[in-house]
Amino acid sequence: MTRSVTGRKVREHLRIDGAELRLVRLPLVTPFTISTGTMHEKLFPLLTLKADGLEGYAEGVMDPLPDYLEETVSGAMDFLRNALLPSVLGQRFANPQQLARQLEPWRGNMMARATLEMAFWDLWAKSLDLPLQTVLGGEGEAVDVGVSLGIGSIEDTLGRVADHLAQGYKRIKLKIKPGHDLRLLKAVRAAFPDIHLTADANSAYSLADSTLLARLDDFDLDYIEQPLAWNDIHDHAVLQGRIKTPICLDESIRSPEDARKALQADAARVINIKVGRSGGHANAIRIHDLSAAFSVPVWCGGMLESGIGRAHNIHLSTLSNFSKPGDTSSSSRYFHRDIVEEKLETVDGRMPVPAGPGIGVRLDDDFLRTVTISHESFRV
């Protein structure tokens, strides 16, 4: 529905009249190992929302098994199919915030809710003929990018660090775990004394490891990411009082309320915002703004997304408090071929923001069909 304001057509509401839900499998170029296991492929739900001849896209970032957070691919697909999509099909929404309010009664399932909410943001931005970054409140033509390196031998890691620095990446993040931490960081810091270096533990340690974690202060890290339990805030605040290295929270921040509690407790001096983990763009913006109010920098984390999720992340990263390099590195690092037509590749450590309405990328339908495991259509 549109109305005229001084001769200009302004869209009032979008009526969601259809959707498509796919399960997609993309093999990884190389296995990606963290403290909780090794990934050989990316399996994810891909959602298309339809309204007035337009399409909005988003992907889910949950894993097949609950080894990052408790949500799973199969559970999210079921929740989308049987609850979330039926609640919005045929409904009219003036903006993404109105749709997000409709999802508030549901408890948890932030990743599944984000999949729906993000697809609507793309749809809404396209209905306004504006880039997603504009409606989110961001600006700029490119964002600084870091790289996340999975667990490997020290010798191999040194080579990978050198390769990615040569490509211009602005920050190197190393995955660590007990027994694969101090020697690795010592070797990398000795070889590259001036780089921005961080470590990501993916919840592999406990407060009993405080003495060991304090030794990470020797390596001049920008921060250590999620060293303790995936659902903890309190112990991270205790640990921050025992170490100098800033703690960055990832898994623990699943809502603006989590962010507020962590910031008030000094459990997070940096926050990794993953829009798909946080319930969508509306919550991600609130976490961004809360962090800025506490003078705490944020950056955009990645979940090995395809070009759809990667494009969402890039647009979000243009907001002002995303002052540290994010994980929106080149798609070709992960996939031999992506499911979007556009090439999302860094240039001298900077990722260009996809141009055009919405997220600025289009599905490569021919290739998508070859990597789609299941495909469901929904109509009003």
Side-chain angles (χ1 to χ4, degrees), residues 80 93 126 236 375:
L80 282 161
F93 299 96
K126 287 172 178 172
H236 279 103
H375 181 196

Side-chain angles (χ1 to χ4, degrees), residues 282-303:
N283 276 353
I285 293 170
R286 290 172 63 195
I287 295 170
H288 167 276
D289 293 348
L290 273 169
S291 301
F294 279 81
S295 299
V296 166
V298 302
W299 56 279
C300 186
M303 293 289 288

Side-chain angles (χ1 to χ4, degrees), residues 213-240:
L213 293 171
R215 294 178 63 185
L216 271 60
D217 291 342
D218 296 337
F219 305 121
D220 190 26
L221 303 178
D222 286 10
Y223 50 82
I224 177 173
E225 188 176 349
Q226 197 70 36
L228 308 181
W230 59 275
N231 57 353
D232 169 75
I233 290 176
H234 176 271
D235 284 359
H236 279 103
V238 174
L239 178 64
Q240 186 65 86

Side-chain angles (χ1 to χ4, degrees), residues 40-320:
H40 297 272
E41 62 185 16
K42 180 64 178 178
L43 183 73
F44 60 96
L46 178 66
L47 178 64
T48 301
L49 280 187
K50 300 183 179 185
D52 297 342
L54 300 171
E55 293 186 343
Y57 308 118
E59 66 180 88
V61 298
M62 64 291 298
D63 289 327
L65 296 174
D67 53 4
Y68 171 72
L69 292 176
E70 70 274 20
E71 287 186 71
T72 64
V73 170
S74 59
M77 295 280 288
D78 185 73
F79 190 36
L80 282 161
R81 178 187 303 117
N82 294 315
L84 294 182
L85 288 174
S87 74
V88 300
L89 282 170
Q91 303 297 312
R92 295 184 180 276
F93 299 96
N95 50 56
Q97 290 83 357
Q98 183 183 2
L99 180 139
R101 286 193 294 272
Q102 181 154 327
L103 305 182
E104 286 179 358
W106 300 109
R107 298 184 180 183
N109 293 280
M110 303 302 278
M111 294 177 175
R113 288 161 56 177
T115 307
L116 176 58
E117 192 251 27
M118 293 165 67
F120 188 82
W121 274 94
D122 183 30
L123 188 64
W124 187 59
K126 287 172 178 172
S127 76
L128 300 173
D129 198 29
L130 292 172
L132 179 61
Q133 72 171 143
T134 300
V135 298
L136 292 176
E139 60 182 358
E141 297 181 354
V143 297
D144 285 344
V145 177
V147 67
S148 177
L149 301 181
I151 291 173
S153 70
I154 292 177
E155 181 179 2
D156 177 66
T157 300
L158 289 170
R160 287 185 292 156
V161 170
D163 288 344
H164 286 91
L165 290 174
Q167 296 172 44
Y169 284 101
K170 307 294 186 183
R171 178 268 285 150
I172 300 293
K173 179 171 77 174
L174 302 178
K175 297 288 188 175
I176 63 171
K177 64 178 181 179
H180 186 80
D181 40 38
L182 297 178
R183 289 182 59 245
L184 171 72
L185 293 169
K186 182 178 180 180
V188 172
R189 180 52 83 195
F192 307 97
D194 300 321
I195 66 171
H196 287 283
L197 182 64
T198 72
D200 184 3
N202 289 111
S203 305
Y205 300 86
S206 72
L207 273 181
D209 299 306
S210 294
T211 300
L212 181 148
L213 293 171
R215 294 178 63 185
L216 271 60
D217 291 342
D218 296 337
F219 305 121
D220 190 26
L221 303 178
D222 286 10
Y223 50 82
I224 177 173
E225 188 176 349
Q226 197 70 36
L228 308 181
W230 59 275
N231 57 353
D232 169 75
I233 290 176
H234 176 271
D235 284 359
H236 279 103
V238 174
L239 178 64
Q240 186 65 86
R242 299 176 179 177
I243 67 175
K244 296 178 181 178
T245 302
I247 290 175
C248 170
L249 290 186
D250 173 359
E251 288 94 330
S252 295
I253 307 299
R254 289 185 281 174
S255 69
E257 291 73 24
D258 289 338
R260 174 183 58 79
K261 293 172 184 177
L263 292 164
Q264 289 176 331
D266 192 27
R269 295 181 180 176
V270 181
I271 286 182
N272 169 356
I273 297 180
K274 291 179 178 174
V275 58
R277 183 200 66 220
S278 306
H281 285 296
N283 276 353
I285 293 170
R286 290 172 63 195
I287 295 170
H288 167 276
D289 293 348
L290 273 169
S291 301
F294 279 81
S295 299
V296 166
V298 302
W299 56 279
C300 186
M303 293 289 288
L304 306 186
E305 290 97 334
S306 78
I308 295 298
R310 197 170 301 273
H312 275 279
N313 291 344
I314 295 166
H315 282 274
L316 179 68
S317 298
T318 64
L319 273 67
S320 60

Side-chain angles (χ1 to χ4, degrees), residues 19-25 42-50 55-60 62 73-74 76-78 80-81 85 115 308 339 363-379:
E20 295 182 16
L21 182 61
R22 294 176 172 88
L23 181 61
V24 177
R25 175 184 284 130
K42 180 64 178 178
L43 183 73
F44 60 96
L46 178 66
L47 178 64
T48 301
L49 280 187
K50 300 183 179 185
E55 293 186 343
Y57 308 118
E59 66 180 88
M62 64 291 298
V73 170
S74 59
M77 295 280 288
D78 185 73
L80 282 161
R81 178 187 303 117
L85 288 174
T115 307
I308 295 298
I339 62 170
L363 290 174
D364 182 344
D365 291 319
D366 290 340
F367 178 63
L368 179 59
R369 279 192 287 271
T370 69
V371 292
T372 295
I373 298 173
S374 66
H375 181 196
E376 304 167 68
S377 295
F378 303 82
R379 295 288 183 268

